[in-house]
Amino acid sequence: MSACKRLVCLVKQRRLWAPTRRNVSTWSPVGTAFNARPHKRQDFFEKSVGLFGVPELSSPEGFQAAAKTALRNTERLVGRACSSPAGVGTVECFDQLSDELCKVADLADFIKVAHPDPEYREAAEKTCIEIGTVVEKLNTNVELCQSLKKLLDDPKIVAQLDPDTRRVAELFMFDFEISGIHLDEKLRKEAVGLHVKLLDLNNAFLIGSHTPNRIAKAAIPQHLHMHFGSEGSFIQVGGLHADSPDDLLREIAYRVYLYPNADLLDCLEELLRCRYKLAKLVGYKSYGHRALKGTMAKSPETVMSFLQLLTDKLSDRTKKDFRMMRDMKKKLNPRNPELMAWDHPFLSGVLRAERFNIEPSLYSPYLSLGGCMEGLNSLFSQLYGVSLMSEHPSAGEVWSEDVRKLAVVHETEGLLGHIYCDFFQRSDKPHQDCHFTIRGGRWCQDAGRYQLPVVVLMLSLPHPTKSAPTLLTPGMMENLFHEMGHAMHSMLGRTRYQHVTGTRCATDFAEVPSILMEYFATDYRVLSQFARHYQTGQPLPESMVARLSESKKVCGAADTQLQIFYAVLDQIYHSKPQNRSTTEILKDMQQKFYGLPYTPNTAWQLRFSHLIGYGAKYYSYLMSRAVASMVWKQCFIQDPLNRYVAETTHNRRLCGSSGF
């Protein structure tokens, strides 16, 4: 399709949503790109450039070729690292070695969960395991470790290193230490074996945690069938339906979706046993102690003290929140007034809506997806001099036709990187909102240029229709801002070394930029720039924004307490063996740190996918929220659009080495 025809098509689609009162031209290009329905590619003879522009990945078999190339380059870089004189070049070589492996492993890690083609997912999964195995072997490679140790043990050489190079060298050494480099050869091999086994267990648990449960249609009232997927004579339940006003629907979804899967329970138990065994083997009291070394919290004892302190501080307010929820349930359903875990999200929303009149449907017309993306573009432009520009992906570059591609461009530095936006609902796609690093930024000494970062943002938003663009609830809008915070952290954290770029910082700090973005998402001075009715163009009234902001305080203690419960559960699972099942631990911790009763024959922990990427570190969401609150109050509350404050706070040096 020609550019002219595409433009005409865009205008026609936009007019379907906008009466003559709405001037189509007031939408920016990036806003139009996300409010328009996707175009199907017409040129069937255009050659595929491969996923993310990687030529090998034009077919599933290409993962094997990409892995072979990465491993061949890895072997060459290991030789160079072990034979070159100790100095800055050693650290650069280590970072390049890490980058070679990460570029394949990170891409495969995303494709294995997001690609609609099972052959691609399977090929990506095999690649993840293959690359992961090599990484664990390198982490116990004595000769490689010695080349780095020689550098760090020489005071004269260390004195010549800039702070960032020294820090990265220390981080690589830290990886060697927690992997068991100090062990004898037999125990090192045992450690590698445990690591490799954990790769399989982690992958199996992640897949299982996102797999729907099913139940016979006859077991579910017929009028509820329409809310679930169908598979022959079975109903598929792939989520909790936590916001549904139907009590029975929420209860059924909760009981079925969280029904224990014996194989997955065994997988989790084995995973936790292997993590503990590995931690003990390499010299730690528990996996939690190993995972938290090098973080801001430093130890499980500090984390548990933090979580207990929060619980004590919130106790009275949490009880008050649950009392309000019980009263509301009694009012809505006098026959069944007991407050259950499946009631919390819905009833807290009802209480907010009743007290502040913030029914999501009142806000959604003002929050079209395109309008929100336009607002983010404006915000980033004012704070950082950065623009989001829509690009048309080449053939084979994306895994679904509704994926949008954005170029992130700085007003003086030019192109900073790319963001692929996989925003819309799709079968076999995880329902969890998340950010994936596909390629980290780094200075390429050999090429004399900067390697631009590439990330993916994944959401599960409804598709636009013929009569309306995708309209977001306030919660969806906040999630969008949160995930864009991760993406911009990756774009603006322009570091010399990819090992510390963007979100590859300390885990208990990684959520700060994204949570900080949530504050911008509820500030009228920001919202007034983009939140306008998709049909009339009328701005979102300031009074509605004020009510939305105030409503967040309603049931806030109970919401925080739920997160504390999750964080405590994560800590207990990764402490010393408890000699009881993960479900028994959950039941006990739910009583002590949440308050709502455990539902028999459920196993929420099997849906706790953060146990993989955030094992023993889930508390970081709570810690990051505290830090983000402090940053907002000290730096942005007076003027959220102050560029000097933004750039100073983010300490962004586009050609330097300091990240966020």
PDB file of all heavy atoms in Angstrom, residues 431-450:
ATOM      1  N   HIS A 431      -1.127 -12.810  30.433  1.00  0.00           N
ATOM      2  CA  HIS A 431      -1.953 -11.645  30.777  1.00  0.00           C
ATOM      3  C   HIS A 431      -1.197 -10.654  31.650  1.00  0.00           C
ATOM      4  O   HIS A 431      -1.738  -9.628  32.031  1.00  0.00           O
ATOM      5  CB  HIS A 431      -3.222 -12.109  31.498  1.00  0.00           C
ATOM      6  CG  HIS A 431      -4.175 -12.860  30.610  1.00  0.00           C
ATOM      7  ND1 HIS A 431      -4.925 -12.234  29.643  1.00  0.00           N
ATOM      8  CD2 HIS A 431      -4.468 -14.181  30.519  1.00  0.00           C
ATOM      9  CE1 HIS A 431      -5.665 -13.133  28.999  1.00  0.00           C
ATOM     10  NE2 HIS A 431      -5.399 -14.328  29.515  1.00  0.00           N
ATOM     11  N   GLN A 432       0.034 -10.955  31.952  1.00  0.00           N
ATOM     12  CA  GLN A 432       0.810 -10.107  32.854  1.00  0.00           C
ATOM     13  C   GLN A 432       1.459  -8.953  32.088  1.00  0.00           C
ATOM     14  O   GLN A 432       2.047  -9.141  31.030  1.00  0.00           O
ATOM     15  CB  GLN A 432       1.893 -10.951  33.535  1.00  0.00           C
ATOM     16  CG  GLN A 432       2.519 -10.292  34.731  1.00  0.00           C
ATOM     17  CD  GLN A 432       3.406 -11.274  35.490  1.00  0.00           C
ATOM     18  OE1 GLN A 432       3.543 -12.428  35.102  1.00  0.00           O
ATOM     19  NE2 GLN A 432       4.009 -10.817  36.560  1.00  0.00           N
ATOM     20  N   ASP A 433       1.331  -7.733  32.607  1.00  0.00           N
ATOM     21  CA  ASP A 433       1.999  -6.583  32.012  1.00  0.00           C
ATOM     22  C   ASP A 433       3.482  -6.638  32.380  1.00  0.00           C
ATOM     23  O   ASP A 433       3.826  -6.812  33.547  1.00  0.00           O
ATOM     24  CB  ASP A 433       1.398  -5.282  32.547  1.00  0.00           C
ATOM     25  CG  ASP A 433      -0.069  -5.130  32.174  1.00  0.00           C
ATOM     26  OD1 ASP A 433      -0.524  -5.846  31.270  1.00  0.00           O
ATOM     27  OD2 ASP A 433      -0.760  -4.304  32.797  1.00  0.00           O
ATOM     28  N   CYS A 434       4.354  -6.488  31.390  1.00  0.00           N
ATOM     29  CA  CYS A 434       5.787  -6.592  31.693  1.00  0.00           C
ATOM     30  C   CYS A 434       6.653  -5.931  30.628  1.00  0.00           C
ATOM     31  O   CYS A 434       6.195  -5.580  29.535  1.00  0.00           O
ATOM     32  CB  CYS A 434       6.204  -8.048  31.884  1.00  0.00           C
ATOM     33  SG  CYS A 434       5.509  -9.192  30.702  1.00  0.00           S
ATOM     34  N   HIS A 435       7.927  -5.769  30.999  1.00  0.00           N
ATOM     35  CA  HIS A 435       8.948  -5.145  30.159  1.00  0.00           C
ATOM     36  C   HIS A 435      10.047  -6.166  29.912  1.00  0.00           C
ATOM     37  O   HIS A 435      10.474  -6.861  30.830  1.00  0.00           O
ATOM     38  CB  HIS A 435       9.495  -3.916  30.905  1.00  0.00           C
ATOM     39  CG  HIS A 435      10.833  -3.428  30.424  1.00  0.00           C
ATOM     40  ND1 HIS A 435      12.035  -3.937  30.896  1.00  0.00           N
ATOM     41  CD2 HIS A 435      11.168  -2.467  29.538  1.00  0.00           C
ATOM     42  CE1 HIS A 435      13.043  -3.304  30.310  1.00  0.00           C
ATOM     43  NE2 HIS A 435      12.555  -2.414  29.495  1.00  0.00           N
ATOM     44  N   PHE A 436      10.486  -6.281  28.666  1.00  0.00           N
ATOM     45  CA  PHE A 436      11.569  -7.210  28.315  1.00  0.00           C
ATOM     46  C   PHE A 436      12.710  -6.428  27.671  1.00  0.00           C
ATOM     47  O   PHE A 436      12.478  -5.626  26.756  1.00  0.00           O
ATOM     48  CB  PHE A 436      11.093  -8.264  27.307  1.00  0.00           C
ATOM     49  CG  PHE A 436      10.086  -9.241  27.840  1.00  0.00           C
ATOM     50  CD1 PHE A 436       8.736  -8.933  27.850  1.00  0.00           C
ATOM     51  CD2 PHE A 436      10.487 -10.476  28.323  1.00  0.00           C
ATOM     52  CE1 PHE A 436       7.794  -9.833  28.330  1.00  0.00           C
ATOM     53  CE2 PHE A 436       9.553 -11.390  28.809  1.00  0.00           C
ATOM     54  CZ  PHE A 436       8.203 -11.066  28.815  1.00  0.00           C
ATOM     55  N   THR A 437      13.914  -6.665  28.142  1.00  0.00           N
ATOM     56  CA  THR A 437      15.095  -6.137  27.455  1.00  0.00           C
ATOM     57  C   THR A 437      15.504  -7.137  26.382  1.00  0.00           C
ATOM     58  O   THR A 437      15.763  -8.301  26.680  1.00  0.00           O
ATOM     59  CB  THR A 437      16.265  -5.933  28.438  1.00  0.00           C
ATOM     60  OG1 THR A 437      15.891  -4.951  29.406  1.00  0.00           O
ATOM     61  CG2 THR A 437      17.507  -5.449  27.700  1.00  0.00           C
ATOM     62  N   ILE A 438      15.512  -6.697  25.145  1.00  0.00           N
ATOM     63  CA  ILE A 438      15.925  -7.558  24.036  1.00  0.00           C
ATOM     64  C   ILE A 438      17.416  -7.365  23.749  1.00  0.00           C
ATOM     65  O   ILE A 438      18.148  -8.320  23.489  1.00  0.00           O
ATOM     66  CB  ILE A 438      15.104  -7.246  22.768  1.00  0.00           C
ATOM     67  CG1 ILE A 438      13.601  -7.401  23.065  1.00  0.00           C
ATOM     68  CG2 ILE A 438      15.528  -8.148  21.606  1.00  0.00           C
ATOM     69  CD1 ILE A 438      13.176  -8.779  23.527  1.00  0.00           C
ATOM     70  N   ARG A 439      17.827  -6.102  23.834  1.00  0.00           N
ATOM     71  CA  ARG A 439      19.250  -5.801  23.634  1.00  0.00           C
ATOM     72  C   ARG A 439      19.610  -4.596  24.499  1.00  0.00           C
ATOM     73  O   ARG A 439      18.920  -3.574  24.474  1.00  0.00           O
ATOM     74  CB  ARG A 439      19.536  -5.486  22.162  1.00  0.00           C
ATOM     75  CG  ARG A 439      21.018  -5.264  21.853  1.00  0.00           C
ATOM     76  CD  ARG A 439      21.234  -5.020  20.371  1.00  0.00           C
ATOM     77  NE  ARG A 439      20.669  -3.752  19.928  1.00  0.00           N
ATOM     78  CZ  ARG A 439      20.331  -3.470  18.665  1.00  0.00           C
ATOM     79  NH1 ARG A 439      20.460  -4.379  17.735  1.00  0.00           N
ATOM     80  NH2 ARG A 439      19.846  -2.289  18.351  1.00  0.00           N
ATOM     81  N   GLY A 440      20.662  -4.728  25.280  1.00  0.00           N
ATOM     82  CA  GLY A 440      21.093  -3.632  26.135  1.00  0.00           C
ATOM     83  C   GLY A 440      21.992  -2.656  25.396  1.00  0.00           C
ATOM     84  O   GLY A 440      22.665  -3.015  24.428  1.00  0.00           O
ATOM     85  N   GLY A 441      22.001  -1.418  25.860  1.00  0.00           N
ATOM     86  CA  GLY A 441      22.884  -0.420  25.273  1.00  0.00           C
ATOM     87  C   GLY A 441      24.305  -0.566  25.796  1.00  0.00           C
ATOM     88  O   GLY A 441      24.515  -0.951  26.947  1.00  0.00           O
ATOM     89  N   ARG A 442      25.290  -0.260  24.972  1.00  0.00           N
ATOM     90  CA  ARG A 442      26.695  -0.294  25.385  1.00  0.00           C
ATOM     91  C   ARG A 442      27.540   0.430  24.350  1.00  0.00           C
ATOM     92  O   ARG A 442      27.149   0.554  23.178  1.00  0.00           O
ATOM     93  CB  ARG A 442      27.217  -1.728  25.540  1.00  0.00           C
ATOM     94  CG  ARG A 442      27.208  -2.541  24.272  1.00  0.00           C
ATOM     95  CD  ARG A 442      27.691  -3.970  24.476  1.00  0.00           C
ATOM     96  NE  ARG A 442      29.120  -4.044  24.668  1.00  0.00           N
ATOM     97  CZ  ARG A 442      29.998  -4.271  23.679  1.00  0.00           C
ATOM     98  NH1 ARG A 442      29.571  -4.435  22.426  1.00  0.00           N
ATOM     99  NH2 ARG A 442      31.283  -4.334  23.933  1.00  0.00           N
ATOM    100  N   TRP A 443      28.696   0.921  24.792  1.00  0.00           N
ATOM    101  CA  TRP A 443      29.623   1.522  23.845  1.00  0.00           C
ATOM    102  C   TRP A 443      30.457   0.410  23.214  1.00  0.00           C
ATOM    103  O   TRP A 443      31.095  -0.385  23.912  1.00  0.00           O
ATOM    104  CB  TRP A 443      30.531   2.530  24.540  1.00  0.00           C
ATOM    105  CG  TRP A 443      31.566   3.088  23.609  1.00  0.00           C
ATOM    106  CD1 TRP A 443      32.893   2.807  23.594  1.00  0.00           C
ATOM    107  CD2 TRP A 443      31.341   3.990  22.520  1.00  0.00           C
ATOM    108  NE1 TRP A 443      33.523   3.495  22.578  1.00  0.00           N
ATOM    109  CE2 TRP A 443      32.591   4.222  21.889  1.00  0.00           C
ATOM    110  CE3 TRP A 443      30.206   4.624  22.009  1.00  0.00           C
ATOM    111  CZ2 TRP A 443      32.732   5.058  20.787  1.00  0.00           C
ATOM    112  CZ3 TRP A 443      30.343   5.456  20.903  1.00  0.00           C
ATOM    113  CH2 TRP A 443      31.588   5.672  20.311  1.00  0.00           C
ATOM    114  N   CYS A 444      30.426   0.335  21.885  1.00  0.00           N
ATOM    115  CA  CYS A 444      31.183  -0.688  21.155  1.00  0.00           C
ATOM    116  C   CYS A 444      32.530  -0.100  20.763  1.00  0.00           C
ATOM    117  O   CYS A 444      32.626   0.686  19.796  1.00  0.00           O
ATOM    118  CB  CYS A 444      30.421  -1.136  19.910  1.00  0.00           C
ATOM    119  SG  CYS A 444      28.792  -1.827  20.264  1.00  0.00           S
ATOM    120  N   GLN A 445      33.550  -0.453  21.510  1.00  0.00           N
ATOM    121  CA  GLN A 445      34.880   0.109  21.301  1.00  0.00           C
ATOM    122  C   GLN A 445      35.413  -0.228  19.916  1.00  0.00           C
ATOM    123  O   GLN A 445      35.973   0.630  19.223  1.00  0.00           O
ATOM    124  CB  GLN A 445      35.839  -0.422  22.381  1.00  0.00           C
ATOM    125  CG  GLN A 445      37.218   0.219  22.373  1.00  0.00           C
ATOM    126  CD  GLN A 445      37.185   1.681  22.765  1.00  0.00           C
ATOM    127  OE1 GLN A 445      36.377   2.088  23.592  1.00  0.00           O
ATOM    128  NE2 GLN A 445      38.048   2.483  22.144  1.00  0.00           N
ATOM    129  N   ASP A 446      35.229  -1.465  19.487  1.00  0.00           N
ATOM    130  CA  ASP A 446      35.762  -1.897  18.191  1.00  0.00           C
ATOM    131  C   ASP A 446      35.120  -1.143  17.035  1.00  0.00           C
ATOM    132  O   ASP A 446      35.795  -0.756  16.078  1.00  0.00           O
ATOM    133  CB  ASP A 446      35.541  -3.404  18.004  1.00  0.00           C
ATOM    134  CG  ASP A 446      36.328  -4.231  19.013  1.00  0.00           C
ATOM    135  OD1 ASP A 446      37.275  -3.677  19.616  1.00  0.00           O
ATOM    136  OD2 ASP A 446      35.990  -5.413  19.207  1.00  0.00           O
ATOM    137  N   ALA A 447      33.810  -0.925  17.123  1.00  0.00           N
ATOM    138  CA  ALA A 447      33.083  -0.273  16.030  1.00  0.00           C
ATOM    139  C   ALA A 447      33.060   1.246  16.165  1.00  0.00           C
ATOM    140  O   ALA A 447      32.706   1.953  15.215  1.00  0.00           O
ATOM    141  CB  ALA A 447      31.648  -0.809  15.966  1.00  0.00           C
ATOM    142  N   GLY A 448      33.391   1.745  17.353  1.00  0.00           N
ATOM    143  CA  GLY A 448      33.383   3.183  17.570  1.00  0.00           C
ATOM    144  C   GLY A 448      31.993   3.790  17.535  1.00  0.00           C
ATOM    145  O   GLY A 448      31.788   4.918  17.086  1.00  0.00           O
ATOM    146  N   ARG A 449      31.007   3.053  18.009  1.00  0.00           N
ATOM    147  CA  ARG A 449      29.625   3.552  18.025  1.00  0.00           C
ATOM    148  C   ARG A 449      28.891   2.962  19.220  1.00  0.00           C
ATOM    149  O   ARG A 449      29.372   2.027  19.865  1.00  0.00           O
ATOM    150  CB  ARG A 449      28.896   3.181  16.738  1.00  0.00           C
ATOM    151  CG  ARG A 449      28.837   1.681  16.490  1.00  0.00           C
ATOM    152  CD  ARG A 449      28.023   1.319  15.265  1.00  0.00           C
ATOM    153  NE  ARG A 449      28.081  -0.112  14.992  1.00  0.00           N
ATOM    154  CZ  ARG A 449      27.390  -1.031  15.658  1.00  0.00           C
ATOM    155  NH1 ARG A 449      26.570  -0.667  16.636  1.00  0.00           N
ATOM    156  NH2 ARG A 449      27.494  -2.313  15.342  1.00  0.00           N
ATOM    157  N   TYR A 450      27.712   3.517  19.471  1.00  0.00           N
ATOM    158  CA  TYR A 450      26.909   3.034  20.597  1.00  0.00           C
ATOM    159  C   TYR A 450      25.893   2.007  20.107  1.00  0.00           C
ATOM    160  O   TYR A 450      25.197   2.230  19.104  1.00  0.00           O
ATOM    161  CB  TYR A 450      26.184   4.195  21.284  1.00  0.00           C
ATOM    162  CG  TYR A 450      25.682   3.834  22.666  1.00  0.00           C
ATOM    163  CD1 TYR A 450      26.540   3.867  23.767  1.00  0.00           C
ATOM    164  CD2 TYR A 450      24.367   3.426  22.870  1.00  0.00           C
ATOM    165  CE1 TYR A 450      26.103   3.515  25.030  1.00  0.00           C
ATOM    166  CE2 TYR A 450      23.916   3.066  24.135  1.00  0.00           C
ATOM    167  CZ  TYR A 450      24.789   3.115  25.209  1.00  0.00           C
ATOM    168  OH  TYR A 450      24.357   2.753  26.458  1.00  0.00           O
TER     169      TYR A 450
END
